[in-house]
Amino acid sequence: MSLIEQMIIGYVLVINAIALMMFGLDKWKAQHGKWRIPEATLLFLALIGGSIGALCGMRLFHHKTQHKKFYIGIPVILLLQIAAIAYYAVSVQAL
């Protein structure tokens, strides 16, 4: 495995951990009447590679599961990311 691939894997692990924690934090803030994390921030974390963490956070914390842009948007983002990874894997293998 090349250094760049190791860095990408590290990035994906970190961004997913951050997304998961942010969903948990936002749920906690919602329950305690605190200032919330903007929905755009949560969606952005999913978009930049944290979709698995976001989806796990939604399920684990039962958070944002009734919002259409989350219960449809996050899985769509995940599918697009899987498609991009599959395309990359096929492209690299063709070289």
Side-chain angles (χ1 to χ4, degrees):
M1 185 180 309
S2 72
L3 178 60
I4 191 74
E5 289 170 333
Q6 291 175 359
M7 291 173 64
I8 291 170
I9 289 170
Y11 169 79
V12 169
L13 290 173
V14 169
I15 198 66
N16 276 287
I18 291 169
L20 177 68
M21 289 187 288
M22 293 295 272
F23 270 79
L25 178 61
D26 193 50
K27 177 69 175 197
W28 182 87
K29 287 182 171 201
Q31 291 172 332
H32 291 88
K34 304 286 183 183
W35 190 260
R36 304 282 301 280
I37 297 166
E39 288 184 348
T41 301
L42 298 174
L43 289 168
F44 181 70
L45 286 168
L47 191 63
I48 62 171
S51 57
I52 293 173
L55 196 56
C56 289
M58 286 174 61
R59 301 282 187 249
L60 180 65
F61 303 114
H62 305 284
H63 191 52
K64 301 289 186 190
T65 57
Q66 301 297 313
H67 293 75
K68 199 172 204 174
K69 64 180 146 184
F70 284 91
Y71 75 78
I72 292 175
I74 301 293
V76 167
I77 291 170
L78 177 58
L79 290 174
L80 291 172
Q81 290 170 344
I82 290 169
I85 292 166
Y87 177 78
Y88 170 77
V90 169
S91 297
V92 169
Q93 201 171 35
L95 298 176

